[in-house]
Amino acid sequence: MSRVNVRSTVGSGAGESWAARRIILTVSSTDSFPECLVYAIEREFPSIVVEQAAGIEAACATFEHPVCLILVDTELLHKIDAYAAELMRYHPAAPIVLVQHDSRAPVSIHDVLDLKIVRSVLPMDLKLDVWLSVIRLMLRGGEYFPLAMFQSYARNLSQKAPDHSAPAEHPMPDRSGFEEMGELTDREFQILEMVARGLQNKIIAAALHLSEHTVKIHLHNIITKLGAHNRTEAAAVFHARRDTFYGGMEPSCSPQPIQSSP
């Protein structure tokens, strides 16, 4: 197991405690993390030291200082799940972030949601000041996902949706005997179906070309009309009456659940 340490003296003033330092760990089988970014990080965050691991295996180790953030190249995406437990054992306070080098080929939303340990996706083609702001956000516990991920998902969703999903050409499924949902509008039915499939509000908003705030309002109305306490109970009502709702028709999208991050 090998590890290449990348150190800088930027910001290491005499008054700064070396013991208080933390590590941003970059994980890549190639030298894909430019030294200029290492310099920029250590200048912007004087208490941070950037180190590089040649693979996921090398990242599962004890370092001289606590690791506060792990940046994993997307080429190693397929290995993250296998080493998730080890990474969390060695670095329990370090969010896992996928580093995306080519924004023209965005990371799949499904891949990110399936890997619950992945907290963010970091594009490498942002302007430096914006890129450093995203790093700052993640160091403070925030999450970041580029818009291109959701735009790509929305396009794929539109292309895969069958024609009968358009209410102007095909009637809504029979609601007879479906008292719990009798007051929902067509849009609310559509959003409830997506909620029941485990989709997050931001993904629903991107797919339907709505703002996330509008989706939240619709969801609040849905929960109120169904007499539920939260989105989980609303989804349970939907699943309980699925057969009545679809009236023997196929749903507009595949009902396979998508795991959402907490």
Side-chain angles (χ1 to χ4, degrees), residues 15-229:
E16 183 181 332
S17 173
W18 177 254
R21 290 204 162 198
R22 297 178 297 163
I23 291 173
I24 289 181
L25 183 62
T26 68
V27 185
S28 176
S29 60
T30 60
D31 189 13
S32 58
F33 205 83
E35 289 189 14
C36 61
L37 289 182
V38 173
Y39 178 86
I41 288 176
E42 294 184 340
R43 181 174 181 176
E44 184 76 11
F45 310 102
S47 63
I48 295 292
V49 177
V50 179
E51 297 197 7
Q52 180 175 334
I56 298 288
E57 301 90 339
C60 298
T62 301
F63 290 78
E64 186 174 2
H65 304 288
V67 175
C68 59
L69 193 64
I70 303 176
L71 308 180
V72 182
D73 196 299
T74 51
E75 66 176 358
L76 301 174
L77 177 66
H78 63 287
K79 287 190 172 184
I80 293 178
D81 196 37
Y83 288 91
E86 284 291 286
L87 287 170
M88 292 184 67
R89 183 166 69 89
Y90 280 102
H91 315 297
I96 308 295
V97 177
L98 286 180
V99 175
Q100 178 181 291
H101 292 279
D102 187 358
S103 60
R104 294 170 298 180
V107 179
S108 167
I109 289 179
H110 297 284
D111 288 339
V112 175
L113 295 182
D114 286 343
L115 296 172
K116 294 183 179 180
I117 193 174
V118 174
R119 294 282 301 276
S120 301
V121 175
L122 176 63
M124 295 295 285
D125 57 357
L126 300 174
K127 293 182 179 179
L128 181 59
D129 58 338
V130 176
W131 193 88
L132 289 172
S133 295
V134 174
I135 292 288
R136 184 184 301 277
L137 171 70
M138 294 187 295
L139 287 173
R140 292 180 174 177
E143 300 176 354
Y144 181 86
F145 297 93
L147 179 61
M149 288 180 59
F150 303 107
Q151 291 175 331
S152 175
Y153 174 79
R155 286 195 298 269
N156 291 337
L157 193 65
S158 299
Q159 292 170 358
K160 292 179 181 179
D163 291 341
H164 67 252
S165 63
E169 298 180 5
H170 298 272
M172 289 293 295
D174 182 16
R175 301 185 189 182
S176 58
F178 205 166
E179 295 83 0
E180 292 94 335
M181 296 189 183
E183 297 182 0
L184 296 188
T185 66
D186 291 348
R187 175 65 84 186
E188 289 168 349
F189 262 83
Q190 186 179 29
I191 290 176
L192 178 58
E193 179 189 12
M194 300 177 80
V195 167
R197 287 191 287 118
L199 297 178
Q200 296 175 309
N201 289 348
K202 56 188 173 184
I203 298 177
I204 296 173
L208 300 181
H209 304 289
L210 301 173
S211 70
E212 190 172 348
H213 177 68
T214 299
V215 172
K216 289 180 179 179
I217 292 176
H218 280 305
L219 186 54
H220 172 76
N221 292 337
I222 291 168
I223 291 172
T224 300
K225 289 179 180 180
L226 296 184
H229 294 90

Side-chain angles (χ1 to χ4, degrees), residues 222-257:
I222 291 168
I223 291 172
T224 300
K225 289 179 180 180
L226 296 184
H229 294 90
N230 50 48
R231 64 188 293 140
T232 301
E233 289 188 9
V237 172
F238 178 89
H239 286 300
R241 304 304 298 272
R242 176 185 297 275
D243 293 339
T244 305
F245 168 63
Y246 285 120
M249 297 173 57
E250 290 295 324
S252 60
C253 300
S254 171
Q256 295 179 353

Side-chain angles (χ1 to χ4, degrees), residues 6-19:
V6 181
R7 296 294 177 88
S8 171
T9 58
V10 176
S12 56
E16 183 181 332
S17 173
W18 177 254

